[in-house]
Every structure is written in C-alpha cells, then in structure tokens.
Amino acid sequence: DGARTEVTKSINGRQVPLSRTETKVIRDDANGKVTETINRIYDADGQLASTERVVVDTQNLTNGSSRVRATTYRSDVNGNMTEAERKTTESSKQGASTRIDTVIERPTINASFRPVEKLATVVETSGTSTHEDKSLYSLSDNGDFALTSREVKDQTKTGDQTVEKIAL
C-alpha cells in the first residue's frame, strides 16, 4: 500500500532519527494516480524539526500524454502546513519526439503563486540514437524568463557499447 523509509544515526551509543519518509497511494485507476509522501526531518537531538508533505496527481491523457501536478506543503514554526510549491509537468508524444514542459510556481509576498522556473525538454529517438535538448528558464529581475542553462545530449548505442556526448 505504501513505503516507509527511516534514516538514523548513532550519537553516543543511541540511535537518533534524521528523517522519516512515508509514501501512500491515495488513488490508482485508469485515469491516473494520486500519491502522498510525508517527509519528517529531525534535528541532532532527534526532535521533529520540520515536516514536508508532497501530493502528486498523475493524469493519463490521450495519445500517451500525461500531466503531473505535485504540490508541496511545508510546516512553519507552529507546525501549520502551508503550500510552498506547485510543480506541473506535461508530456506529449508526436511520433518519435517527446516534449516535456515543467513549470514551478512559488508563493509571492502577497501569497499568490507565480511561475519562477520553466524547464523545456525535447527527446527525439530514431533507432538506436537519442537526442535530448533541455533548456532551463529562470525568472529574471525584470519579470521575464531568461535562459539559465541548456544541456544537449546525444546517445548512440552500437551492440553492447553506448556512446554519450553532452554539451552544456
């Protein structure tokens, strides 16, 4: 039904938790899947320092396309959970080409959400070759999106050997 992971460390002969992660599936059907992951972070004394909850809603669309919405909630000093980030990823296929667009939104000073980062990825496959082009756009000081980084990767497989060329 779900997974649980706990990371501990030994301090003076006793085990102190560092983090505890629990994942459970809320819904899983033909239309998509909703999962919830709760990550608890502990301080050096083993006391709960913060909690992060991520709800991921995956929707299967037509033609093999999908939309993934991940909403992150973080606890404040009083333990109240507030929405901290929204991440929307849309993927679509057109023949041998796949386009993946990701938009990350974070709250502004007036608590409304605004896109702060965009990632555009195009993957083209033909036979044993793959060409991948990733472009990261970040919010600039004037409010527009500017290209921050770009990675182009070419991968060719011949027999049992794979050659990969990456340009940043």
Side-chain angles (χ1 to χ4, degrees):
D1 186 45
R4 180 183 204 149
T5 305
E6 187 168 334
V7 178
T8 60
K9 70 177 179 178
S10 178
I11 296 178
N12 298 329
R14 69 181 184 116
Q15 292 287 73
V16 177
L18 291 177
S19 68
R20 182 176 294 150
T21 303
E22 298 174 40
T23 302
K24 61 182 172 179
V25 177
I26 306 294
R27 178 180 57 88
D28 189 4
D29 56 24
N31 296 328
K33 184 177 185 178
V34 177
T35 60
E36 177 186 60
T37 302
I38 297 175
N39 188 18
R40 293 177 177 87
I41 309 293
Y42 297 90
D43 63 11
D45 295 325
Q47 301 297 319
L48 183 63
S50 68
T51 303
E52 183 176 89
R53 177 177 167 246
V54 180
V55 178
V56 178
D57 182 4
T58 305
Q59 297 174 343
N60 300 324
L61 305 174
T62 59
N63 300 338
S65 300
S66 67
R67 179 181 299 128
V68 178
R69 289 190 178 118
T71 307
T72 303
Y73 302 89
R74 289 194 184 98
S75 63
D76 59 13
V77 292
N78 296 324
N80 300 322
M81 299 292 276
T82 56
E83 194 173 1
E85 183 179 273
R86 295 177 187 161
K87 184 176 183 180
T88 305
T89 302
E90 294 186 11
S91 68
S92 60
K93 282 189 166 193
Q94 295 175 354
S97 179
T98 303
R99 181 169 179 84
I100 304 166
D101 292 313
T102 302
V103 177
I104 297 174
E105 298 176 293
R106 292 196 182 103
T108 61
I109 194 83
N110 62 1
S112 65
F113 277 78
R114 178 176 186 185
V116 294
E117 213 172 68
K118 293 182 181 183
L119 177 64
T121 305
V122 177
V123 180
E124 297 172 358
T125 54
S126 61
T128 60
S129 299
T130 303
H131 176 79
E132 184 176 326
D133 190 345
K134 288 183 185 179
S135 298
L136 177 66
Y137 300 89
S138 296
L139 195 62
S140 64
D141 293 335
N142 63 3
D144 294 333
F145 282 94
L147 182 64
T148 305
S149 68
R150 183 172 177 209
E151 178 182 306
V152 179
K153 185 188 311 184
D154 289 311
Q155 186 179 46
T156 306
K157 187 170 185 176
T158 308
D160 63 346
Q161 185 178 27
T162 302
V163 176
E164 190 171 84
K165 297 177 186 175
I166 301 173
L168 298 173

